[in-house]
Every structure is written in C-alpha cells, then in structure tokens.
Amino acid sequence: MARIEPHIIRCGVLTPSDEVLLPAAIALRQGGLVAFPTETVYGLGANALDPEAVRRIFAAKGRPATNPLIVHVPSAATARSLAAHWPDAAQTLADRLWPGPITLVVLRGPSVPDVVTAGGPTVALRCPSHPVARRLIELADVPVAAPSANVSGHVSPTRFEHLAPNILSACRCVVDAGPCEFGLESTVLDVTTSPPTLLRPGAVTRQEIAEIVGSPASVNATAGPHKVRSPGMHGRHYAPRAQVVLVETPAAARDASADNLEADRSDRGKIAFVVQGERSADTIPQAHRTVVMPDDPRAYGRRLYAVLQELDADGMETIVVQLPPDTPDWEAVRDRLRRAALR
Ligand code: TXA
Ligand code: MG
C-alpha cells in the first residue's frame, strides 16, 4: 500500500506567515498529527481536546499509555483554564518564564481528556517561545498535546532531518524551521507541591527557578498527598541505537578504551568518543570518530542530540562520552547522558 506523504512546510524561525502555517493549523483542528519545531526539540502535536487524535500520537511513537503528555498553550490564561487549581507559584513562574522552555504540572481541569494525563490527577502545561510553535498554536486555536517527535525511548529530534520515517508517515503535516535553539527538552516542574518539585531538569535551570520561587525539591524528596511521579522520568530514555558508555575524565576514556573497549573491539564495532574541550582530544585514544563538544552547557545541550543522531547514522556501535562537570549548570546535560547510557 502506498504511504501517504505528509505535507511539508518550510519556513523561517522569526517570520512565520499565517498563510504558510495555515495548512498545519487546519490539520490539527481536523484531528491530524503535526510535527513542529519548538525552542527545545521538535514536537509531535495533536488537538489536546480530541482523544482520538491524541491516541494517534501514542500509536505513532509506540509510547506506553501510562506516560502523560505535555499540553502546549498560547498563554498563561489558557493554561489556567485547563487547570482545576492554578497556584500562585504557577502564575509567578509563568509571568517570569513564559513563553519559554519550562513545563508546569498542575491539577487538571475537567476539559482535559484522560488519554492526555494517562488518567492521572494532573496535567503538564507549557507555553513555548518558538515563534513558529506559538503562531501555529494560536492559529489552530486549540491546546496542542505534544511529546518530543521521536519514537518512544529514542533521541529527541532537534532538526527536521532527524525525524524518523515512522513519525513522518504518521503526520498529516510537518513544519521544518531548522534547528532548535536549546536542543534539550523543557524543564518539568510540579507546582502542586510546596516547594515545587523538579521532575525533569531541562532548558530552564534549577537556579533560575530558585531565584523566582525558592529552591525546588528534587523528585526523590517529594512527599505528601500530591506526590506525583513522572512516568517518563524512569529508565532508559533519550538513547541512541549505539551503546553509550560514560566516563568522568579523558584519562578514564583512555583507560576504558585500553582495558575493555580495545579488548573486544570486534564485538563493539565502531567506537566514537565525545569529549569536551580541545585539550582532551589529544589525550584520548584512536577512535573511528572523535567529537569535541563545547565547554558551555547551553551550547553543549544544543548540539548533544544532533551528535548522537549523527553518530548512529555513521554506524557507531559504542559511543564513549566524557561526562561534563557535576555542577548545577550541567544538570540537564548529565541527566540526559545518564539516561542514554542505561541498558
Ligand atoms: O521540551 C519539551 O518539553 C518537548 C517539546 C515538544 O515541548 N516535549 C517533551 O514531551 O519533551 P515528552 O512527552 O517527550 O516529555 C514529557 C515529560 C514526560 O517525561 C512525561 O512523563 C512528563 O513530561 N509528564 C507529562 N505530563 C505529566 C504529568 N501530568 N505529571 C508528571 N509528569 C508529566
Ligand atoms: Mg520525549
């Protein structure tokens, strides 16, 4: 059976014209899936108020029905209208950080379908800053449920070229506006607890949140009646096909190579090293590919998923990654690397 190709829209980041985006907005309104760029990663969107459309997202990704979705909204006012309770902390954070890469988890209102929240008592809401995402959501005039546009468990796409064939073929429409600015997913913060609980470190740092509403609790420290677990936060995730091996220092990369990688090289196939800083590149052993990553966390985050995608495409079997420092500004990058390395 011939596959129906999605309608592909190419546009600039800053000046998306309504005329160009309209087919994507109509597809959303009609219950179709649309892949679109946000400032973090590409999302796979559907009308959040249409349970059938949302079910198609789960099917396309192979995502367990127990893992709830983020609902994207054009404004804090729309977010509030989808919540049963909108805490002061949510309003304060929205005033300061929206539109932008932070998702707020609140008690869900009655209009949010079960399939979106995986039947849970809360809903995750996010007002993205990407001009294309914003205008698309405004034109569709519905809240848009959108997980990252990858097959479940895999690396999130940060550019159009990294959308998997299965995702593309599930879409009525795909918007290509080039690479994403942040490259790592939004921070997910549960504001049903006091203090709020950081469920997923992300593009907005823990310090930025602390300056606005005080230090957030970490997920393991959460207690009380609203203890909310975030199903997507467990286990292997954000992972390339290759096996990811983490090491703390360039010297450890060398040792890892000497001690075991070299020993069973034929089993491991092609090996890539992902290191930081030009100097460390001299101290690592020969690899099929060596990628030198930036020393700045933002720049590193922007590149990480694209690098993993490219190393997979190059047929690497093992990717040895030198972990960035264990400091707060690297929290999101280290979190994603740890999950990518889980077996
Ligand atoms: O940057 C992002 O957030 C991207 C773009 C497209 O906006 N979206 C994204 O969605 O990363 P997804 O589905 O890949 O990750 C959402 C995470 C999952 O780990 C999910 O478990 C969690 O948010 N989540 C969603 N709803 C939740 C809820 N009600 N309570 C707790 N966690 C929730
Ligand atoms: Mg995801």
PDB file of all heavy atoms in Angstrom, residues 41-42 61 63 67 146-157 185 200 232 237-238 305, ligand 2:
ATOM      1  N   VAL A  41      12.921  21.019  21.386  1.00  0.00           N
ATOM      2  CA  VAL A  41      13.045  19.926  20.411  1.00  0.00           C
ATOM      3  C   VAL A  41      11.787  19.964  19.523  1.00  0.00           C
ATOM      4  O   VAL A  41      10.842  20.695  19.822  1.00  0.00           O
ATOM      5  CB  VAL A  41      13.144  18.548  21.121  1.00  0.00           C
ATOM      6  CG1 VAL A  41      14.366  18.490  22.045  1.00  0.00           C
ATOM      7  CG2 VAL A  41      11.874  18.209  21.904  1.00  0.00           C
ATOM      8  N   TYR A  42      11.783  19.169  18.451  1.00  0.00           N
ATOM      9  CA  TYR A  42      10.565  19.071  17.644  1.00  0.00           C
ATOM     10  C   TYR A  42       9.504  18.288  18.422  1.00  0.00           C
ATOM     11  O   TYR A  42       9.816  17.317  19.132  1.00  0.00           O
ATOM     12  CB  TYR A  42      10.860  18.383  16.299  1.00  0.00           C
ATOM     13  CG  TYR A  42      11.348  19.357  15.241  1.00  0.00           C
ATOM     14  CD1 TYR A  42      12.620  19.912  15.330  1.00  0.00           C
ATOM     15  CD2 TYR A  42      10.525  19.741  14.180  1.00  0.00           C
ATOM     16  CE1 TYR A  42      13.063  20.830  14.366  1.00  0.00           C
ATOM     17  CE2 TYR A  42      10.958  20.641  13.212  1.00  0.00           C
ATOM     18  CZ  TYR A  42      12.222  21.190  13.317  1.00  0.00           C
ATOM     19  OH  TYR A  42      12.644  22.094  12.376  1.00  0.00           O
ATOM     20  N   LYS A  61       4.332   6.913  18.202  1.00  0.00           N
ATOM     21  CA  LYS A  61       5.588   6.869  18.962  1.00  0.00           C
ATOM     22  C   LYS A  61       5.857   5.490  19.569  1.00  0.00           C
ATOM     23  O   LYS A  61       6.970   5.241  20.036  1.00  0.00           O
ATOM     24  CB  LYS A  61       5.532   7.886  20.112  1.00  0.00           C
ATOM     25  CG  LYS A  61       5.791   9.325  19.695  1.00  0.00           C
ATOM     26  CD  LYS A  61       5.729  10.246  20.893  1.00  0.00           C
ATOM     27  CE  LYS A  61       6.756   9.979  21.959  1.00  0.00           C
ATOM     28  NZ  LYS A  61       8.030  10.694  21.797  1.00  0.00           N
ATOM     29  N   ARG A  63       4.399   4.783  22.322  1.00  0.00           N
ATOM     30  CA  ARG A  63       4.539   5.274  23.698  1.00  0.00           C
ATOM     31  C   ARG A  63       3.544   4.578  24.605  1.00  0.00           C
ATOM     32  O   ARG A  63       2.363   4.443  24.253  1.00  0.00           O
ATOM     33  CB  ARG A  63       4.269   6.776  23.704  1.00  0.00           C
ATOM     34  CG  ARG A  63       4.425   7.480  25.057  1.00  0.00           C
ATOM     35  CD  ARG A  63       4.162   8.954  24.837  1.00  0.00           C
ATOM     36  NE  ARG A  63       4.170   9.775  26.013  1.00  0.00           N
ATOM     37  CZ  ARG A  63       5.119  10.678  26.286  1.00  0.00           C
ATOM     38  NH1 ARG A  63       6.152  10.814  25.490  1.00  0.00           N
ATOM     39  NH2 ARG A  63       5.025  11.441  27.336  1.00  0.00           N
ATOM     40  N   ASN A  67       2.182   7.037  30.077  1.00  0.00           N
ATOM     41  CA  ASN A  67       3.089   8.191  30.110  1.00  0.00           C
ATOM     42  C   ASN A  67       2.367   9.438  29.590  1.00  0.00           C
ATOM     43  O   ASN A  67       2.123   9.567  28.398  1.00  0.00           O
ATOM     44  CB  ASN A  67       4.333   7.879  29.272  1.00  0.00           C
ATOM     45  CG  ASN A  67       5.448   8.890  29.496  1.00  0.00           C
ATOM     46  OD1 ASN A  67       5.300   9.828  30.280  1.00  0.00           O
ATOM     47  ND2 ASN A  67       6.549   8.704  28.812  1.00  0.00           N
ATOM     48  N   ALA A 146       1.718  17.578  22.850  1.00  0.00           N
ATOM     49  CA  ALA A 146       2.884  17.242  22.021  1.00  0.00           C
ATOM     50  C   ALA A 146       4.027  16.706  22.856  1.00  0.00           C
ATOM     51  O   ALA A 146       4.632  17.435  23.627  1.00  0.00           O
ATOM     52  CB  ALA A 146       3.352  18.459  21.223  1.00  0.00           C
ATOM     53  N   PRO A 147       4.337  15.433  22.679  1.00  0.00           N
ATOM     54  CA  PRO A 147       5.594  14.902  23.199  1.00  0.00           C
ATOM     55  C   PRO A 147       6.689  15.224  22.192  1.00  0.00           C
ATOM     56  O   PRO A 147       6.410  15.725  21.107  1.00  0.00           O
ATOM     57  CB  PRO A 147       5.334  13.395  23.240  1.00  0.00           C
ATOM     58  CG  PRO A 147       4.420  13.163  22.079  1.00  0.00           C
ATOM     59  CD  PRO A 147       3.568  14.416  21.942  1.00  0.00           C
ATOM     60  N   SER A 148       7.926  14.929  22.548  1.00  0.00           N
ATOM     61  CA  SER A 148       9.009  15.039  21.584  1.00  0.00           C
ATOM     62  C   SER A 148       8.703  14.093  20.410  1.00  0.00           C
ATOM     63  O   SER A 148       8.134  13.019  20.603  1.00  0.00           O
ATOM     64  CB  SER A 148      10.337  14.676  22.240  1.00  0.00           C
ATOM     65  OG  SER A 148      10.221  13.460  22.953  1.00  0.00           O
ATOM     66  N   ALA A 149       9.103  14.520  19.196  1.00  0.00           N
ATOM     67  CA  ALA A 149       8.671  13.817  17.980  1.00  0.00           C
ATOM     68  C   ALA A 149       9.609  12.660  17.615  1.00  0.00           C
ATOM     69  O   ALA A 149      10.032  12.530  16.464  1.00  0.00           O
ATOM     70  CB  ALA A 149       8.578  14.809  16.824  1.00  0.00           C
ATOM     71  N   ASN A 150       9.928  11.832  18.611  1.00  0.00           N
ATOM     72  CA  ASN A 150      10.790  10.665  18.380  1.00  0.00           C
ATOM     73  C   ASN A 150      10.004   9.401  18.709  1.00  0.00           C
ATOM     74  O   ASN A 150       9.002   9.451  19.425  1.00  0.00           O
ATOM     75  CB  ASN A 150      12.017  10.733  19.300  1.00  0.00           C
ATOM     76  CG  ASN A 150      11.631  10.983  20.745  1.00  0.00           C
ATOM     77  OD1 ASN A 150      11.341  12.128  21.109  1.00  0.00           O
ATOM     78  ND2 ASN A 150      11.578   9.941  21.545  1.00  0.00           N
ATOM     79  N   VAL A 151      10.504   8.281  18.185  1.00  0.00           N
ATOM     80  CA  VAL A 151       9.964   7.002  18.615  1.00  0.00           C
ATOM     81  C   VAL A 151      10.295   6.866  20.101  1.00  0.00           C
ATOM     82  O   VAL A 151      11.373   7.277  20.544  1.00  0.00           O
ATOM     83  CB  VAL A 151      10.588   5.854  17.783  1.00  0.00           C
ATOM     84  CG1 VAL A 151      10.201   4.500  18.330  1.00  0.00           C
ATOM     85  CG2 VAL A 151      10.192   6.005  16.321  1.00  0.00           C
ATOM     86  N   SER A 152       9.347   6.338  20.885  1.00  0.00           N
ATOM     87  CA  SER A 152       9.482   6.273  22.342  1.00  0.00           C
ATOM     88  C   SER A 152      10.840   5.702  22.764  1.00  0.00           C
ATOM     89  O   SER A 152      11.273   4.674  22.244  1.00  0.00           O
ATOM     90  CB  SER A 152       8.354   5.403  22.890  1.00  0.00           C
ATOM     91  OG  SER A 152       8.231   5.603  24.266  1.00  0.00           O
ATOM     92  N   GLY A 153      11.527   6.401  23.677  1.00  0.00           N
ATOM     93  CA  GLY A 153      12.805   5.920  24.190  1.00  0.00           C
ATOM     94  C   GLY A 153      14.026   6.399  23.410  1.00  0.00           C
ATOM     95  O   GLY A 153      15.136   6.340  23.896  1.00  0.00           O
ATOM     96  N   HIS A 154      13.787   6.899  22.197  1.00  0.00           N
ATOM     97  CA  HIS A 154      14.923   7.310  21.364  1.00  0.00           C
ATOM     98  C   HIS A 154      15.279   8.781  21.582  1.00  0.00           C
ATOM     99  O   HIS A 154      14.647   9.467  22.368  1.00  0.00           O
ATOM    100  CB  HIS A 154      14.609   7.047  19.891  1.00  0.00           C
ATOM    101  CG  HIS A 154      14.661   5.589  19.544  1.00  0.00           C
ATOM    102  ND1 HIS A 154      15.372   5.082  18.495  1.00  0.00           N
ATOM    103  CD2 HIS A 154      14.094   4.522  20.149  1.00  0.00           C
ATOM    104  CE1 HIS A 154      15.242   3.768  18.449  1.00  0.00           C
ATOM    105  NE2 HIS A 154      14.462   3.403  19.436  1.00  0.00           N
ATOM    106  N   VAL A 155      16.288   9.223  20.842  1.00  0.00           N
ATOM    107  CA  VAL A 155      16.753  10.606  20.967  1.00  0.00           C
ATOM    108  C   VAL A 155      15.725  11.555  20.359  1.00  0.00           C
ATOM    109  O   VAL A 155      15.201  11.300  19.279  1.00  0.00           O
ATOM    110  CB  VAL A 155      18.107  10.761  20.233  1.00  0.00           C
ATOM    111  CG1 VAL A 155      18.595  12.198  20.308  1.00  0.00           C
ATOM    112  CG2 VAL A 155      19.139   9.805  20.809  1.00  0.00           C
ATOM    113  N   SER A 156      15.468  12.662  21.057  1.00  0.00           N
ATOM    114  CA  SER A 156      14.523  13.659  20.535  1.00  0.00           C
ATOM    115  C   SER A 156      15.128  14.367  19.328  1.00  0.00           C
ATOM    116  O   SER A 156      16.314  14.685  19.323  1.00  0.00           O
ATOM    117  CB  SER A 156      14.215  14.714  21.604  1.00  0.00           C
ATOM    118  OG  SER A 156      13.721  14.111  22.769  1.00  0.00           O
ATOM    119  N   PRO A 157      14.311  14.638  18.293  1.00  0.00           N
ATOM    120  CA  PRO A 157      14.836  15.347  17.125  1.00  0.00           C
ATOM    121  C   PRO A 157      14.978  16.844  17.414  1.00  0.00           C
ATOM    122  O   PRO A 157      14.067  17.472  17.942  1.00  0.00           O
ATOM    123  CB  PRO A 157      13.769  15.108  16.053  1.00  0.00           C
ATOM    124  CG  PRO A 157      12.523  14.776  16.799  1.00  0.00           C
ATOM    125  CD  PRO A 157      12.906  14.243  18.135  1.00  0.00           C
ATOM    126  N   GLU A 185      15.057  19.017  26.134  1.00  0.00           N
ATOM    127  CA  GLU A 185      13.650  19.226  26.449  1.00  0.00           C
ATOM    128  C   GLU A 185      13.461  20.245  27.585  1.00  0.00           C
ATOM    129  O   GLU A 185      14.379  20.534  28.349  1.00  0.00           O
ATOM    130  CB  GLU A 185      12.995  17.909  26.861  1.00  0.00           C
ATOM    131  CG  GLU A 185      13.002  16.839  25.791  1.00  0.00           C
ATOM    132  CD  GLU A 185      14.306  16.082  25.722  1.00  0.00           C
ATOM    133  OE1 GLU A 185      15.259  16.427  26.454  1.00  0.00           O
ATOM    134  OE2 GLU A 185      14.375  15.132  24.910  1.00  0.00           O
ATOM    135  N   ARG A 200      11.932  17.024  35.927  1.00  0.00           N
ATOM    136  CA  ARG A 200      12.916  16.796  34.855  1.00  0.00           C
ATOM    137  C   ARG A 200      13.766  18.041  34.714  1.00  0.00           C
ATOM    138  O   ARG A 200      13.234  19.104  34.404  1.00  0.00           O
ATOM    139  CB  ARG A 200      12.196  16.503  33.530  1.00  0.00           C
ATOM    140  CG  ARG A 200      13.163  16.335  32.358  1.00  0.00           C
ATOM    141  CD  ARG A 200      12.475  15.891  31.068  1.00  0.00           C
ATOM    142  NE  ARG A 200      11.710  16.947  30.430  1.00  0.00           N
ATOM    143  CZ  ARG A 200      11.020  16.782  29.302  1.00  0.00           C
ATOM    144  NH1 ARG A 200      10.985  15.609  28.703  1.00  0.00           N
ATOM    145  NH2 ARG A 200      10.352  17.797  28.790  1.00  0.00           N
ATOM    146  N   GLY A 232       7.622   9.271  32.649  1.00  0.00           N
ATOM    147  CA  GLY A 232       8.665   9.333  31.631  1.00  0.00           C
ATOM    148  C   GLY A 232      10.055   9.542  32.200  1.00  0.00           C
ATOM    149  O   GLY A 232      11.032   9.586  31.468  1.00  0.00           O
ATOM    150  N   HIS A 237      16.207   6.258  28.323  1.00  0.00           N
ATOM    151  CA  HIS A 237      15.451   7.259  27.606  1.00  0.00           C
ATOM    152  C   HIS A 237      16.432   8.088  26.796  1.00  0.00           C
ATOM    153  O   HIS A 237      17.620   8.043  27.063  1.00  0.00           O
ATOM    154  CB  HIS A 237      14.752   8.155  28.632  1.00  0.00           C
ATOM    155  CG  HIS A 237      13.367   8.536  28.206  1.00  0.00           C
ATOM    156  ND1 HIS A 237      13.086   9.041  26.970  1.00  0.00           N
ATOM    157  CD2 HIS A 237      12.195   8.490  28.855  1.00  0.00           C
ATOM    158  CE1 HIS A 237      11.782   9.293  26.889  1.00  0.00           C
ATOM    159  NE2 HIS A 237      11.209   8.961  28.023  1.00  0.00           N
ATOM    160  N   TYR A 238      15.963   8.832  25.850  1.00  0.00           N
ATOM    161  CA  TYR A 238      16.824   9.758  25.115  1.00  0.00           C
ATOM    162  C   TYR A 238      18.042   9.023  24.559  1.00  0.00           C
ATOM    163  O   TYR A 238      19.148   9.554  24.572  1.00  0.00           O
ATOM    164  CB  TYR A 238      17.294  10.906  26.036  1.00  0.00           C
ATOM    165  CG  TYR A 238      16.192  11.512  26.879  1.00  0.00           C
ATOM    166  CD1 TYR A 238      16.083  11.244  28.233  1.00  0.00           C
ATOM    167  CD2 TYR A 238      15.249  12.362  26.299  1.00  0.00           C
ATOM    168  CE1 TYR A 238      15.075  11.801  28.999  1.00  0.00           C
ATOM    169  CE2 TYR A 238      14.245  12.926  27.049  1.00  0.00           C
ATOM    170  CZ  TYR A 238      14.161  12.633  28.403  1.00  0.00           C
ATOM    171  OH  TYR A 238      13.164  13.196  29.152  1.00  0.00           O
ATOM    172  N   TYR A 305      21.939  16.086  21.030  1.00  0.00           N
ATOM    173  CA  TYR A 305      21.104  15.096  20.339  1.00  0.00           C
ATOM    174  C   TYR A 305      21.472  14.974  18.868  1.00  0.00           C
ATOM    175  O   TYR A 305      21.426  13.883  18.301  1.00  0.00           O
ATOM    176  CB  TYR A 305      19.618  15.447  20.478  1.00  0.00           C
ATOM    177  CG  TYR A 305      19.054  15.237  21.863  1.00  0.00           C
ATOM    178  CD1 TYR A 305      17.898  15.900  22.250  1.00  0.00           C
ATOM    179  CD2 TYR A 305      19.645  14.369  22.770  1.00  0.00           C
ATOM    180  CE1 TYR A 305      17.344  15.703  23.508  1.00  0.00           C
ATOM    181  CE2 TYR A 305      19.104  14.180  24.030  1.00  0.00           C
ATOM    182  CZ  TYR A 305      17.949  14.851  24.396  1.00  0.00           C
ATOM    183  OH  TYR A 305      17.410  14.659  25.631  1.00  0.00           O
TER     184      TYR A 305
HETATM  185 MG    MG B   2      10.336  12.686  24.944  1.00  0.00          MG
END
